[in-house]
Amino acid sequence: MKELILNGKHNRSKILIGRNLMKQAAEHFRKLFEGGRTPSAVCVITDSNVAKLYLQQVEEELLRLDLPVFHYIIPAGEESKNLNTISQIYDTLSNRQFGRNDMIVALGGGVTGDIAGFAAATYLRGVRHLVQIPTTLLAQVDSSVGGKTGVDLPQGKNLVGAFRQPDMVLIDPAVLESLPEDVFISGMAEVIKYGCIWDEDILKIAEQMDCGGGQNRTNELGALIERCVDIKIKVVEEDETEEGLRRILNFGHTVAHGVEKLGNYTELSHGEAVAIGMAAAVKMGENAGITPRGSYERLTAVLQRYGLSISLTYPVEAVYEALLTDKKKQGNSIHFVFIEAFGKTQVRKIPVGELKQMMKALGD
Ligand code: GLY
């Protein structure tokens, strides 16, 4: 088991990575409560898919500590990531007299983690304990770590949210063996992102890794998850609230948010959209002379190795219009992340008119 620490401004996050950690969750919860910080109730927030697989197991671990446990199950899918779901969670918590010293456990993928984290950040102005137990590759390598929480508005993705570092993140790569293939693939896009922005070796591993399922793959993934989380910790510790360095984690996300919006957040998964967005960013970087020629070919080869499509399925003009609601836009400019070389980024604040021009070539 690997133990990593993320020191946030207000909270310290303990991040544990190891096979079968979920089966030993009670032991790790116990350590979290050392020093008299035991909650008097726990609410596990999960989704309708993950509940069938892991809810009972996690609740049993919590019951071993004699903690009163209840749960809230969200219908699986990005469609649930809205203020209506948050309001229903608040109702459940207050009907159960859930208090400020109690604990929310987010059990699931990125959508669940964002919703549960936001509920934990805002109910009673913030509950004391938040634990993330990510069950998808995307959530394990990225979204469960770093404290971003929030929900979508009809106007765009993640437009309401809060920064709330979890007290603990339990990452168990063994649970990835139960992942549907498309969910695995979506996570690989975020893994490849870390190879592009920080550590070319991650890209090299992804270029060679066993693409088949099963334990071999999850063993290889365990090591990759550690590397990605390690990078995420370094970035977030330097810039927790995304005023500088953390922007690099948005590589590929500008165009991705546009295509996700056009597909009503249901046609493409976040990872699939990020793959399209990264390919677009590299092509635009090559055309602008920022990214070395040949990078697009290399990136698209590794994305396609995992079955990730790179083609922009909507007209460029429509993608451009859709991405303008992206929260990374500041006035008439947007921070756009380019790759100077694999492992090295360049963030440029570009006027949206210039971005529109740069995007034109994506339609060719
Ligand atoms: N997922 C990007 C970030 O946490 O900043």
Side-chain angles (χ1 to χ4, degrees):
M1 184 190 76
K2 181 103 174 174
E3 180 172 328
L4 300 164
I5 299 292
L6 188 160
N7 285 305
K9 277 197 198 92
H10 304 290
N11 263 41
R12 183 173 177 270
S13 238
K14 180 154 95 168
I15 301 153
L16 304 177
I17 309 171
R19 275 188 80 81
N20 300 320
L21 263 186
M22 208 195 277
K23 290 185 182 147
Q24 306 141 21
E27 187 190 316
H28 301 293
F29 282 120
R30 192 173 286 119
K31 285 194 194 135
L32 189 65
F33 305 145
E34 273 167 8
R37 291 161 58 97
T38 309
S40 49
V42 182
C43 176
V44 181
I45 299 178
T46 189
D47 76 23
S48 45
N49 291 336
V50 177
K52 289 180 215 139
L53 297 167
Y54 301 116
L55 180 57
Q56 189 183 348
Q57 190 180 322
V58 168
E59 288 194 323
E60 276 170 10
E61 286 296 295
L62 290 161
L63 288 168
R64 282 177 59 198
L65 303 177
D66 289 329
L67 288 172
V69 184
F70 62 98
H71 58 249
Y72 183 87
I73 300 177
I74 306 162
E78 182 84 24
E79 305 91 307
S80 291
K81 203 172 140 184
N82 56 46
L83 289 169
N84 193 30
T85 303
I86 292 293
S87 168
Q88 287 169 18
I89 292 173
Y90 293 155
D91 283 348
T92 306
L93 297 176
S94 61
N95 290 342
R96 298 277 190 150
Q97 274 105 42
F98 195 81
R100 199 181 249 169
N101 290 325
D102 293 339
M103 177 164 88
I104 288 182
V105 174
L107 172 68
V111 169
T112 302
D114 283 3
I115 293 172
F118 185 60
T122 50
Y123 178 75
L124 301 179
R125 298 202 179 93
V127 300
R128 184 158 183 184
H129 296 291
L130 169 66
V131 171
Q132 294 273 358
I133 308 184
T135 58
T136 64
L137 180 58
L138 187 144
Q140 293 193 347
V141 294
D142 191 66
S143 61
S144 66
V145 174
K148 273 192 184 174
T149 73
V151 293
D152 304 336
L153 291 182
Q155 291 86 341
K157 203 173 151 77
N158 296 330
L159 292 186
V160 178
F163 289 99
R164 167 63 160 95
Q165 296 300 341
D167 305 80
M168 184 165 75
V169 186
L170 282 182
I171 299 177
D172 180 350
V175 303
L176 301 180
E177 277 156 37
S178 64
L179 271 191
E181 202 52 21
D182 58 328
V183 182
F184 161 72
I185 285 166
S186 182
M188 276 312 293
E190 290 282 354
V191 171
I192 291 166
K193 178 189 86 177
Y194 281 97
C196 294
I197 62 168
W198 194 280
D199 179 0
E200 192 187 358
D201 282 349
I202 293 179
L203 201 64
K204 289 184 185 153
I205 296 168
E207 283 168 335
Q208 284 153 21
M209 200 173 82
D210 180 359
C211 289
Q215 193 168 332
N216 274 354
R217 183 167 80 185
T218 43
N219 284 342
E220 287 194 79
L221 283 175
L224 268 182
I225 293 164
E226 281 177 23
R227 292 177 90 125
C228 294
V229 170
D230 204 41
I231 296 167
K232 180 123 193 200
I233 291 171
K234 289 192 177 87
V235 172
V236 174
E237 282 189 342
E238 184 168 327
D239 173 27
E240 192 169 2
T241 47
E242 203 177 301
E243 282 146 275
L245 181 67
R246 190 166 181 165
R247 291 193 180 113
I248 67 170
L249 300 177
N250 293 325
F251 171 58
H253 284 56
T254 304
V255 169
H257 281 185
V259 294
E260 280 182 287
K261 188 171 182 201
L262 289 174
N264 287 323
Y265 305 107
T266 49
E267 274 172 33
L268 291 170
S269 69
H270 179 61
E272 286 169 331
V274 167
I276 293 170
M278 290 192 294
V282 168
K283 194 171 185 182
M284 287 159 65
E286 281 194 12
N287 290 342
I290 301 166
T291 309
R293 293 271 167 210
S295 306
Y296 178 74
E297 205 179 326
R298 182 173 176 198
L299 175 65
T300 53
V302 66
L303 292 170
Q304 286 171 330
R305 190 166 187 265
Y306 293 92
L308 285 156
S309 166
I310 46 142
S311 57
L312 205 60
T313 36
Y314 303 99
V316 178
E317 188 83 13
V319 176
Y320 167 76
E321 292 298 330
L323 66 76
L324 292 180
T325 57
D326 194 309
K327 62 188 180 322
K328 292 182 287 301
K329 188 165 153 280
Q330 280 182 358
N332 268 335
S333 296
I334 202 153
H335 286 98
F336 195 89
V337 187
F338 293 100
I339 296 299
E340 253 180 45
F342 286 112
K344 192 160 187 277
T345 52
Q346 190 186 113
V347 183
R348 282 201 187 179
K349 190 172 178 188
I350 41 180
V352 289
E354 199 179 307
L355 177 70
K356 190 175 182 180
Q357 283 306 114
M358 291 179 101
M359 283 179 68
K360 275 199 174 133
L362 298 176
D364 300 344

